[in-house]
């Protein structure tokens, strides 16, 4: 007769344990896995948001850069991580919208292997060239490329960076050799060194070097002039219909407890709304944007369709 109360108490304890674990979250450092090198725009987002998030949650946020393979290395690492809320992927449209069309096979599923958390921001891209290139506008560049076939090269360390130039090639009929890199900062270094002719990459990576006179900025990739790139025209002014914008978001491994994912979403939204965080991101050329988990899922789905069309229009064959 006394067995039933004991079993009832044990059952109640079993239900209480997960709840207690969730309420205690986080009780150790959180890791942000970034698919691109230090100095990249994604790395900047991770460190700025991570610092505020860690302060608010009372735990250290450690940023780990796992660059290479168009973000595949980092994405796969998070997809295979323990779904306990302590490992997040801070990534972009490269791993979660473009790679499905850019690569023949992916060792991870961008939807099934992850839980959405929140959008983090968007960023325009800038077309920059080596200062020795005798051009001062997009029209000049197109004319020079046509007059000098097979002489220009561009580097890219992300899908956005590559596709942005491939689109320009397709829409203008010019030919530029592609040189792949693990991350955009590496490509920028080679561009500054004169090993490349040009590239299109996020403004936080390109414009500081242009301001320092190491590169020459020609235009931005958005449909309208960007407040984070004052004075620069758009590529679309010379190439009607051209537009490409990169974005950032956070994901957890699939099967992470919904209560933990919701807690992280709320904490990230709070961090994104912080005045100091917004100022730091805007200074880096990044427009802060947060979202609900469902909004990110819907946005990711629409972006995947968009990038499939962009890749097809650019004539890129999956690798």
């Amino acid at each position: 007769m006394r067995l039933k109360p004991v079993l009832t108490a044990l059952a109640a304890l079993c239900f209480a344990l997960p709840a207690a674990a969730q309420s205690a979250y986080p009780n150790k450092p959180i890791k942000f896995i970034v698919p691109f090198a230090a100095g990249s725009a994604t790395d900047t987002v991770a460190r700025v948001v991570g610092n505020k998030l860690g302060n608010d949650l009372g735990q250290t946020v450690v940023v780990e850069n796992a660059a290479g393979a168009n973000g595949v290395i980092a994405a796969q690492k998070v997809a295979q991580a323990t779904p306990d809320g302590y490992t997040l992927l801070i990534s972009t449209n490269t791993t979660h919208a473009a790679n499905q069309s850019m690569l023949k096979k992916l060792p991870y599923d961008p939807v099934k292997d992850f839980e959405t958390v929140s959008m983090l921001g968007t960023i325009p891209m800038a077309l920059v060239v080596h200062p020795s290139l005798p051009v001062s506008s997009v029209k000049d560049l197109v004319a020079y490329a046509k007059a000098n076939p097979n002489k220009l090269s561009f580097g890219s360390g992300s899908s956005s960076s590559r596709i942005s130039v491939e689109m320009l090639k397709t829409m203008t009929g010019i030919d530029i050799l592609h040189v792949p890199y693990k991350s955009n900062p590496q490509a920028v270094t080679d561009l500054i060194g004169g090993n490349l002719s040009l590239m299109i990459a996020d403004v936080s990576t390109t414009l500081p070097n242009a301001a320092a006179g190491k590169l020459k900025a020609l235009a931005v990739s958005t449909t309208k002039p960007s407040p984070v790139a004052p004075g620069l025209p758009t590529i679309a002014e010379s190439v009607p219909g051209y537009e490409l914008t990169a974005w950032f978001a956070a994901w957890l491994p699939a099967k992470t407890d919904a209560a933990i994912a919701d807690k992280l979403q709320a904490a990230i939204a709070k961090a994104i709304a912080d005045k100091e965080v917004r100022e730091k991101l805007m200074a880096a050329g990044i427009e802060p944007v947060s979202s609900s988990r469902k909004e990110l899922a819907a946005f990711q789905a629409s972006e995947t369709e968009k990038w499939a069309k962009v890749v097809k229009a650019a004539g890129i064959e999956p690798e």
Side-chain angles (χ1 to χ4, degrees), residues 161-182:
S161 187
R162 180 182 176 185
I163 290 176
S164 58
V165 180
E166 297 288 0
M167 282 178 58
L168 182 65
K169 289 167 58 178
T170 300
M171 296 175 76
T172 60
I174 58 177
D175 188 20
I176 309 174
L177 174 67
H178 173 234
V179 182
Y181 287 81
K182 286 186 176 181

Side-chain angles (χ1 to χ4, degrees), residues 70-121:
N70 261 24
V72 169
I73 295 172
Q76 186 175 16
K77 187 171 187 176
V78 175
Q80 296 174 346
T82 302
D84 57 5
Y86 291 97
T87 304
L88 286 82
L89 178 69
I90 305 300
S91 191
T92 69
N93 42 272
T94 290
T95 59
H96 279 68
N99 276 354
Q100 296 94 304
S101 299
M102 296 283 288
L103 304 174
K104 290 181 180 178
K105 290 184 179 180
L106 278 180
Y108 66 91
D109 187 304
V111 177
K112 296 179 180 179
D113 289 343
F114 297 88
E115 300 292 344
T116 56
V117 181
S118 175
M119 284 281 292
L120 300 173

Side-chain angles (χ1 to χ4, degrees), residues 5 8 10 22 35-36 52 60 90 94 126 129 132 172 202-203 217 233 244-245 247-248 259 263 270 293 306 311:
T8 301
L10 286 173
Q22 291 162 16
F36 308 108
K52 175 61 177 173
T60 301
I90 305 300
T94 290
V129 301
S132 66
T172 60
D202 54 84
V203 294
L244 197 73
T245 304
W247 50 270
F248 312 93
K263 186 170 186 177
K270 180 182 177 182
R293 296 177 59 209
K306 169 189 170 182
V311 170

Side-chain angles (χ1 to χ4, degrees), residues 6 18 26 31 44 67 69 89 102 114 118 135 137-138 140 161 166 196 204 209 236 256 284 290 293:
V6 171
K31 185 179 292 185
T44 298
L89 178 69
M102 296 283 288
F114 297 88
S118 175
V135 300
S137 67
V138 176
D140 287 348
S161 187
E166 297 288 0
L196 298 169
S204 64
N209 288 293
T256 300
S290 63
R293 296 177 59 209

